[in-house]
PDB file of all heavy atoms in Angstrom:
ATOM      1  N   GLY A 341      58.454  -2.380 117.159  1.00  0.00           N
ATOM      2  CA  GLY A 341      58.810  -3.768 116.855  1.00  0.00           C
ATOM      3  C   GLY A 341      60.059  -4.298 117.527  1.00  0.00           C
ATOM      4  O   GLY A 341      60.629  -5.298 117.079  1.00  0.00           O
ATOM      5  N   MET A 342      60.475  -3.663 118.594  1.00  0.00           N
ATOM      6  CA  MET A 342      61.685  -4.107 119.286  1.00  0.00           C
ATOM      7  C   MET A 342      61.356  -5.159 120.350  1.00  0.00           C
ATOM      8  O   MET A 342      60.277  -5.155 120.922  1.00  0.00           O
ATOM      9  CB  MET A 342      62.386  -2.904 119.922  1.00  0.00           C
ATOM     10  CG  MET A 342      63.150  -2.043 118.931  1.00  0.00           C
ATOM     11  SD  MET A 342      64.683  -2.837 118.307  1.00  0.00           S
ATOM     12  CE  MET A 342      64.147  -3.562 116.770  1.00  0.00           C
ATOM     13  N   PRO A 343      62.294  -6.051 120.634  1.00  0.00           N
ATOM     14  CA  PRO A 343      62.084  -7.093 121.649  1.00  0.00           C
ATOM     15  C   PRO A 343      62.210  -6.536 123.075  1.00  0.00           C
ATOM     16  O   PRO A 343      62.729  -5.431 123.261  1.00  0.00           O
ATOM     17  CB  PRO A 343      63.217  -8.073 121.374  1.00  0.00           C
ATOM     18  CG  PRO A 343      64.311  -7.226 120.807  1.00  0.00           C
ATOM     19  CD  PRO A 343      63.619  -6.152 120.003  1.00  0.00           C
ATOM     20  N   SER A 344      61.740  -7.308 124.041  1.00  0.00           N
ATOM     21  CA  SER A 344      61.856  -6.872 125.439  1.00  0.00           C
ATOM     22  C   SER A 344      62.326  -7.996 126.364  1.00  0.00           C
ATOM     23  O   SER A 344      62.368  -7.819 127.573  1.00  0.00           O
ATOM     24  CB  SER A 344      60.510  -6.331 125.931  1.00  0.00           C
ATOM     25  OG  SER A 344      59.555  -7.369 125.946  1.00  0.00           O
ATOM     26  N   SER A 345      62.680  -9.156 125.795  1.00  0.00           N
ATOM     27  CA  SER A 345      63.058 -10.279 126.659  1.00  0.00           C
ATOM     28  C   SER A 345      64.153 -11.128 126.015  1.00  0.00           C
ATOM     29  O   SER A 345      64.381 -11.062 124.807  1.00  0.00           O
ATOM     30  CB  SER A 345      61.833 -11.170 126.894  1.00  0.00           C
ATOM     31  OG  SER A 345      61.485 -11.819 125.678  1.00  0.00           O
ATOM     32  N   PHE A 346      64.813 -11.908 126.850  1.00  0.00           N
ATOM     33  CA  PHE A 346      65.828 -12.861 126.388  1.00  0.00           C
ATOM     34  C   PHE A 346      65.267 -13.776 125.301  1.00  0.00           C
ATOM     35  O   PHE A 346      65.931 -14.038 124.300  1.00  0.00           O
ATOM     36  CB  PHE A 346      66.314 -13.729 127.570  1.00  0.00           C
ATOM     37  CG  PHE A 346      67.577 -13.228 128.215  1.00  0.00           C
ATOM     38  CD1 PHE A 346      67.944 -11.885 128.132  1.00  0.00           C
ATOM     39  CD2 PHE A 346      68.417 -14.108 128.902  1.00  0.00           C
ATOM     40  CE1 PHE A 346      69.123 -11.426 128.724  1.00  0.00           C
ATOM     41  CE2 PHE A 346      69.594 -13.664 129.491  1.00  0.00           C
ATOM     42  CZ  PHE A 346      69.949 -12.328 129.404  1.00  0.00           C
ATOM     43  N   ALA A 347      64.049 -14.265 125.526  1.00  0.00           N
ATOM     44  CA  ALA A 347      63.477 -15.238 124.590  1.00  0.00           C
ATOM     45  C   ALA A 347      63.438 -14.683 123.165  1.00  0.00           C
ATOM     46  O   ALA A 347      63.757 -15.382 122.196  1.00  0.00           O
ATOM     47  CB  ALA A 347      62.066 -15.619 125.046  1.00  0.00           C
ATOM     48  N   GLU A 348      63.079 -13.408 123.062  1.00  0.00           N
ATOM     49  CA  GLU A 348      62.935 -12.830 121.718  1.00  0.00           C
ATOM     50  C   GLU A 348      64.255 -12.649 120.978  1.00  0.00           C
ATOM     51  O   GLU A 348      64.274 -12.495 119.756  1.00  0.00           O
ATOM     52  CB  GLU A 348      62.221 -11.465 121.822  1.00  0.00           C
ATOM     53  CG  GLU A 348      60.757 -11.573 122.204  1.00  0.00           C
ATOM     54  CD  GLU A 348      60.208 -10.219 122.629  1.00  0.00           C
ATOM     55  OE1 GLU A 348      59.742  -9.485 121.746  1.00  0.00           O
ATOM     56  OE2 GLU A 348      60.269  -9.896 123.835  1.00  0.00           O
ATOM     57  N   ILE A 349      65.367 -12.617 121.701  1.00  0.00           N
ATOM     58  CA  ILE A 349      66.663 -12.431 121.026  1.00  0.00           C
ATOM     59  C   ILE A 349      67.534 -13.683 121.105  1.00  0.00           C
ATOM     60  O   ILE A 349      68.707 -13.663 120.727  1.00  0.00           O
ATOM     61  CB  ILE A 349      67.437 -11.212 121.600  1.00  0.00           C
ATOM     62  CG1 ILE A 349      67.624 -11.320 123.122  1.00  0.00           C
ATOM     63  CG2 ILE A 349      66.732  -9.906 121.252  1.00  0.00           C
ATOM     64  CD1 ILE A 349      68.547 -10.262 123.718  1.00  0.00           C
ATOM     65  N   GLY A 350      66.955 -14.751 121.595  1.00  0.00           N
ATOM     66  CA  GLY A 350      67.699 -16.016 121.624  1.00  0.00           C
ATOM     67  C   GLY A 350      68.751 -16.100 122.715  1.00  0.00           C
ATOM     68  O   GLY A 350      69.674 -16.913 122.630  1.00  0.00           O
ATOM     69  N   ALA A 351      68.613 -15.251 123.742  1.00  0.00           N
ATOM     70  CA  ALA A 351      69.580 -15.313 124.851  1.00  0.00           C
ATOM     71  C   ALA A 351      69.096 -16.325 125.885  1.00  0.00           C
ATOM     72  O   ALA A 351      67.900 -16.609 125.976  1.00  0.00           O
ATOM     73  CB  ALA A 351      69.747 -13.940 125.491  1.00  0.00           C
ATOM     74  N   LYS A 352      70.055 -16.891 126.645  1.00  0.00           N
ATOM     75  CA  LYS A 352      69.705 -17.997 127.543  1.00  0.00           C
ATOM     76  C   LYS A 352      70.005 -17.686 129.003  1.00  0.00           C
ATOM     77  O   LYS A 352      71.073 -17.170 129.330  1.00  0.00           O
ATOM     78  CB  LYS A 352      70.502 -19.247 127.129  1.00  0.00           C
ATOM     79  CG  LYS A 352      70.071 -19.796 125.780  1.00  0.00           C
ATOM     80  CD  LYS A 352      71.020 -20.890 125.330  1.00  0.00           C
ATOM     81  CE  LYS A 352      70.832 -21.171 123.840  1.00  0.00           C
ATOM     82  NZ  LYS A 352      72.050 -21.694 123.225  1.00  0.00           N
ATOM     83  N   GLU A 353      69.072 -18.087 129.835  1.00  0.00           N
ATOM     84  CA  GLU A 353      69.206 -17.852 131.268  1.00  0.00           C
ATOM     85  C   GLU A 353      70.494 -18.463 131.816  1.00  0.00           C
ATOM     86  O   GLU A 353      71.159 -17.873 132.662  1.00  0.00           O
ATOM     87  CB  GLU A 353      67.989 -18.463 131.987  1.00  0.00           C
ATOM     88  CG  GLU A 353      67.948 -18.125 133.454  1.00  0.00           C
ATOM     89  CD  GLU A 353      66.644 -18.591 134.130  1.00  0.00           C
ATOM     90  OE1 GLU A 353      65.816 -19.228 133.445  1.00  0.00           O
ATOM     91  OE2 GLU A 353      66.475 -18.306 135.324  1.00  0.00           O
ATOM     92  N   GLU A 354      70.868 -19.649 131.282  1.00  0.00           N
ATOM     93  CA  GLU A 354      72.041 -20.340 131.846  1.00  0.00           C
ATOM     94  C   GLU A 354      73.365 -19.616 131.566  1.00  0.00           C
ATOM     95  O   GLU A 354      74.377 -19.939 132.184  1.00  0.00           O
ATOM     96  CB  GLU A 354      72.117 -21.797 131.354  1.00  0.00           C
ATOM     97  CG  GLU A 354      72.199 -21.959 129.851  1.00  0.00           C
ATOM     98  CD  GLU A 354      70.850 -22.321 129.226  1.00  0.00           C
ATOM     99  OE1 GLU A 354      69.829 -21.776 129.698  1.00  0.00           O
ATOM    100  OE2 GLU A 354      70.816 -23.118 128.273  1.00  0.00           O
ATOM    101  N   ASP A 355      73.352 -18.627 130.664  1.00  0.00           N
ATOM    102  CA  ASP A 355      74.595 -17.885 130.378  1.00  0.00           C
ATOM    103  C   ASP A 355      74.758 -16.641 131.243  1.00  0.00           C
ATOM    104  O   ASP A 355      75.755 -15.926 131.111  1.00  0.00           O
ATOM    105  CB  ASP A 355      74.625 -17.468 128.901  1.00  0.00           C
ATOM    106  CG  ASP A 355      74.752 -18.661 127.959  1.00  0.00           C
ATOM    107  OD1 ASP A 355      75.361 -19.671 128.376  1.00  0.00           O
ATOM    108  OD2 ASP A 355      74.238 -18.583 126.827  1.00  0.00           O
ATOM    109  N   ILE A 356      73.773 -16.366 132.096  1.00  0.00           N
ATOM    110  CA  ILE A 356      73.795 -15.100 132.835  1.00  0.00           C
ATOM    111  C   ILE A 356      75.042 -14.955 133.703  1.00  0.00           C
ATOM    112  O   ILE A 356      75.693 -13.904 133.704  1.00  0.00           O
ATOM    113  CB  ILE A 356      72.504 -14.931 133.675  1.00  0.00           C
ATOM    114  CG1 ILE A 356      71.336 -14.610 132.737  1.00  0.00           C
ATOM    115  CG2 ILE A 356      72.673 -13.830 134.735  1.00  0.00           C
ATOM    116  CD1 ILE A 356      69.987 -14.476 133.413  1.00  0.00           C
TER     117      ILE A 356
END
Side-chain angles (χ1 to χ4, degrees):
Chain A
M342 283 288 96
S344 65
S345 69
F346 264 24
E348 290 166 88
I349 55 172
K352 292 171 196 153
E353 187 173 3
E354 59 260 38
D355 293 330
I356 287 177

